[in-house]
Amino acid sequence: MNGLSGLGYSIERLTEEASKARARAYVPYSGFAVGAVAVDADGSLHHGCNVENAAYGPTNCAERTALFRAIADGRKAGEFKAVAVIGDTDRPITPCGVCRQVMAELCGPDMPVILSNVRGETRVTTVSELLPGAFTAKDMGN
């Protein structure tokens, strides 16, 4: 995939970093730990894990945690080069709909998204492949 050549990190390294983030997940209710890492334009890594809440609604996914952390650290929308995510699933994990929408907002449509599972299976896709026809600021006249 063309978008991966300029990352400065291998798929394996990004999956390993997502796995490190997964180890920090707070999942006392589901036990379903997910980790993610976002790579910004400078090559900095921003780790995220899912954080559950007894009320469920306030729970935050790993992908959003990584991207929101990067924004909180001063990165801007559109500056991301890749997101990698990992979970204990039968196939490479896929982001939920909310995370896909957040990626459509903060990342370019052709940005690579690396999907993995703990068994070592990996699939590389893009934001636009994950959410074709995404609702964006352009739909609001911006």
Side-chain angles (χ1 to χ4, degrees):
M1 169 163 258
N2 293 340
L4 292 174
S5 60
L7 284 181
Y9 296 101
S10 67
I11 290 173
E12 294 79 14
R13 169 73 190 279
L14 292 177
T15 300
E16 178 183 309
E17 292 296 325
S19 187
K20 289 178 189 177
R22 181 178 176 269
R24 295 188 292 259
Y26 177 74
V27 291
Y29 308 106
S30 72
F32 185 70
V34 179
V37 65
V39 183
D40 69 26
D42 296 332
S44 296
L45 302 178
H46 304 273
H47 296 81
C49 59
N50 54 326
V51 180
E52 293 182 344
N53 187 285
Y56 290 107
T59 295
N60 205 53
C61 297
E63 302 92 309
R64 285 182 283 145
T65 300
L67 289 167
F68 294 169
R69 178 180 185 177
I71 295 292
D73 287 343
R75 301 307 181 251
K76 305 280 186 240
E79 291 184 352
F80 298 102
K81 295 172 76 174
V83 169
V85 59
I86 191 168
D88 188 1
T89 50
D90 290 337
R91 60 187 171 130
I93 196 167
T94 60
C96 75
V98 175
C99 288
R100 292 172 192 222
Q101 181 62 43
V102 168
M103 283 189 239
E105 178 75 20
L106 299 178
C107 308
D110 296 327
M111 186 197 76
V113 182
I114 302 161
L115 311 173
S116 302
N117 65 15
V118 298
R119 291 170 222 10
E121 297 172 299
T122 300
R123 181 170 80 96
V124 179
T125 187
T126 64
V127 172
S128 63
E129 288 171 342
L130 285 171
L131 188 61
F135 183 82
T136 66
K138 291 178 184 174
D139 295 304
M140 298 176 66
N142 296 333

